[in-house]
Amino acid sequence: MKNLLAAMQQLGRAMMLPIAVLPVAALLLRLGQPDLLDMPAIAAAGDAVFANLGMLFGIGIAVGLARENHGAAGLAGLVAYLVAT
């Protein structure tokens, strides 16, 4: 039971990495809309995060689960995402 709990905690910590980007992306997307600041570049920056959300999660979780946060795991996560889609 302890091993299951430890694995779930590690997965939760790994998911915090890509989830931390979402509030900033939402703010950028909203602030760039025509009825607020009317800045298309800011809205495009926020939309880029949401358009590539699957890739962001694939890389973020792979890096978060890797020992010592190796970048090679991020590349493997990207390849796995591209193969799956």
Side-chain angles (χ1 to χ4, degrees):
M1 185 68 176
K2 281 188 176 183
N3 291 338
L4 178 65
L5 186 59
M8 294 302 289
Q9 285 179 341
Q10 185 179 11
L11 180 63
R13 274 186 258 123
M15 289 183 73
M16 287 172 66
L17 182 66
I19 289 175
V21 178
L22 295 178
V24 174
L27 286 173
L28 288 174
L29 187 60
R30 179 62 186 125
L31 289 175
Q33 295 302 311
D35 63 334
L36 208 56
L37 295 180
D38 194 22
M39 295 181 155
I42 292 177
D47 189 42
V49 173
F50 286 113
N52 298 306
L53 198 58
M55 191 179 312
L56 179 70
F57 268 87
I59 294 171
I61 290 176
V63 170
L65 289 176
R67 290 189 182 133
E68 300 177 12
N69 295 333
H70 284 291
L75 181 60
L78 174 62
V79 170
Y81 170 78
L82 292 174
V83 168
T85 58

